Amino acid sequence: MTTNIQEQASVLQQYQELRSKCLVYTRVMGYHRPVESFNIGKKGEHKQRTHFNYRHVKTDI
């Protein structure tokens, strides 16, 4: 496991100049807002949410 973490760190460092910030948006009260702008309490609520996973959906309707 430590080797995997070391490999990931090496790859991240190698491509550091190509990385960019990723903004995560979520739907709140009918409109989309960046999670970055949430207060501490709302960020905690967002972290506890169950996210939709399309792989668990039955498609044999």
Side-chain angles (χ1 to χ4, degrees):
M1 180 112 175
T2 359
T3 314
N4 193 17
I5 293 171
Q6 291 171 343
E7 289 174 10
Q8 289 176 357
S10 172
V11 169
L12 288 174
Q13 189 173 13
Q14 182 180 358
Y15 294 105
Q16 185 66 32
E17 70 279 351
L18 299 175
R19 297 177 69 198
S20 63
K21 186 175 182 178
C22 176
L23 288 177
V24 176
Y25 281 78
T26 187
R27 186 172 171 268
V28 179
M29 299 297 291
Y31 58 96
H32 294 87
R33 294 201 45 191
V35 174
E36 182 180 74
S37 69
F38 288 174
N39 63 29
I40 293 172
K42 186 57 85 174
K43 284 181 183 177
E45 288 177 16
H46 181 263
K47 201 173 212 178
Q48 290 176 347
R49 289 183 191 163
T50 304
H51 296 281
F52 179 76
N53 188 346
Y54 69 92
R55 293 180 184 169
H56 295 289
V57 176
K58 293 182 181 179
T59 56
D60 57 334
I61 298 175

